Amino acid sequence: MTEAAPSDTDTAELAVSLRDVTKTYDNGVMALGPIDLSVRRGEFVSLLGPSGCGKSTLLKAVGGYLEPVEGEIRLKGERVERPGPDRMMVFQEFDQLLPWKTVQENVVFALTASGRLTGKAAAEKAREAIARVKLAKFADSFPHTLSGGMKQRVAIARGMAMEPDILLMDEPFAALDALTRRKMQDELLQLWDDTRFTVLFVTHSIPEAVKVGSRILLLSPHPGQVKAELNSLPRERADGEAAHALEERIHNMLFADEVEEDEEHHHE
Ligand SMILES: Nc1ncnc2c1ncn2[C@@H]1O[C@H](COP(=O)(O)OP(=O)(O)OP(=O)(O)O)[C@@H](O)[C@H]1O
Ligand SMILES: [Mg+2]
């Protein structure tokens, strides 16, 4: 297995680090952990795990939305205790935009409400981000007139315009049709190539995790713990056989426990 985790000493390189993080909800459900993981600045990390293993819980914890969380979450060395514009989320749902504001206004609102930018600077930044996701023509449209994929692009544009320390993406393409989904993955990679923002990308699609992530973390079933981590393929080798082999290997790693359990049943 490839060990690609940054060491504890190069904290200047770290966007986010989690140490011994667990989350138990009010109803007594332990949803996550203990988790240790780090994301370097400019890194694109895919987080892959079965449904209910705590992926969304982990992202919300990094977002600062969950209190209390046991253990330690640091953003650029500082402890995370509340939400902040330094961490932007892109959710799976298409309804993350304010319906009474246009595309342009939605992005401007995030910039001004957070105090990031004001006036012309905010408008200019928003226009730029919207153009990057190829929606310049729709800047004055309202969200209800856009397709699901277009709305997700607006949410991504808004997240990127804020220039957060980390972009947290929770299955952002899961509700899209297969063709649009593939296109969105390509576009996201293109954006990442251009600006190297830091991303923690949750998915339960193995091919998607392999395609978009430069490093892939595998979580065990509920409560999720990091079970393995691998480097993805260099982009030029990511098509065809090599990708399939890696996907197969990840599949086997993710489901190894289940197979063992099944076999034990057989022996009973
Ligand atoms: N607000 C909550 N209160 C109580 N339990 C919760 C809450 N949110 C999530 N859980 C529980 O925590 C566990 C992890 O949930 P979470 O949503 O983080 O999983 P997930 O990996 O994102 O799943 P999926 O792939 O289906 O989105 C589940 O058992 C879930 O029932
Ligand atoms: Mg989830």
Side-chain angles (χ1 to χ4, degrees):
M1 200 160 311
T2 321
E3 279 306 328
S7 75
D8 283 332
T9 47
D10 54 7
T11 47
E13 290 288 303
L14 290 184
V16 165
S17 62
L18 282 75
R19 295 283 166 261
D20 219 16
V21 169
T22 63
K23 173 62 192 173
T24 305
Y25 284 107
D26 292 344
N27 58 359
V29 172
M30 182 172 168
L32 185 70
I35 288 260
D36 284 86
L37 69 86
S38 305
V39 182
R40 279 188 230 94
R41 292 190 199 185
E43 199 179 18
F44 198 135
V45 173
S46 293
L47 202 63
L48 189 59
S51 184
C53 76
K55 300 181 298 296
S56 296
T57 300
L58 193 158
L59 277 202
K60 287 179 200 158
V62 174
Y65 304 141
L66 299 178
E67 273 295 314
V69 170
E70 303 77 32
E72 198 178 83
I73 303 176
R74 287 182 185 274
L75 185 78
K76 290 192 0 197
E78 298 288 320
R79 271 193 93 133
V80 164
E81 271 151 5
R82 61 181 72 81
D86 45 13
R87 284 147 288 149
M88 290 299 288
M89 273 269 217
V90 177
F91 297 94
Q92 174 177 347
E93 299 80 22
F94 294 157
D95 58 356
Q96 344 170 19
L97 306 171
L98 298 171
W100 61 89
K101 286 188 184 291
T102 64
V103 166
Q104 170 77 9
E105 287 165 354
N106 263 281
V107 180
V108 166
F109 181 73
L111 290 165
T112 53
S114 64
R116 271 280 201 263
L117 292 171
T118 54
K120 273 190 187 156
E124 188 48 41
K125 182 68 144 187
R127 248 192 304 277
E128 213 179 276
I130 291 163
R132 281 187 151 282
V133 298
K134 302 183 180 127
L135 285 177
K137 281 191 196 143
F138 297 89
D140 297 323
S141 302
F142 286 94
H144 74 272
T145 66
L146 306 178
S147 72
M150 290 159 86
K151 283 189 250 189
Q152 285 310 74
R153 269 143 71 193
V154 179
I156 293 168
R158 177 177 59 186
M160 291 190 46
M162 296 286 287
E163 296 178 358
D165 293 324
I166 189 161
L167 191 59
L168 304 167
M169 305 186 90
D170 195 356
E171 310 209 33
F173 307 146
L176 299 171
D177 64 274
L179 210 64
T180 311
R181 184 172 189 162
R182 216 174 317 148
K183 229 176 114 210
M184 296 282 292
Q185 293 164 351
D186 291 336
E187 284 175 13
L188 183 65
L189 279 176
Q190 185 63 55
L191 287 171
W192 187 71
D193 282 345
D194 290 347
T195 51
R196 290 290 149 140
F197 45 96
T198 311
V199 196
L200 190 52
F201 185 101
V202 161
T203 179
H204 53 233
S205 157
I206 296 176
E208 183 167 80
V210 166
K211 181 171 172 183
V212 299
S214 38
R215 189 155 60 99
I216 306 159
L217 301 181
L218 309 188
L219 296 188
S220 61
H222 176 88
Q225 291 180 277
V226 179
K227 154 165 172 169
E229 64 175 89
L230 338 139
N231 285 322
S232 200
L233 298 163
R235 199 80 59 79
E236 63 277 10
R237 291 184 48 221
D239 277 322
E241 244 171 79
H244 275 124
L246 180 59
E247 287 164 17
E248 194 64 27
R249 189 167 150 224
I250 291 173
H251 184 273
N252 292 336
M253 288 165 95
L254 276 177
F255 297 105
D257 302 344
E258 286 179 20
V259 173
E260 275 162 32
E261 276 164 26
D262 282 352
E263 279 170 2
E264 274 164 30
H265 274 289
H266 277 293
H267 292 309
E268 268 168 20

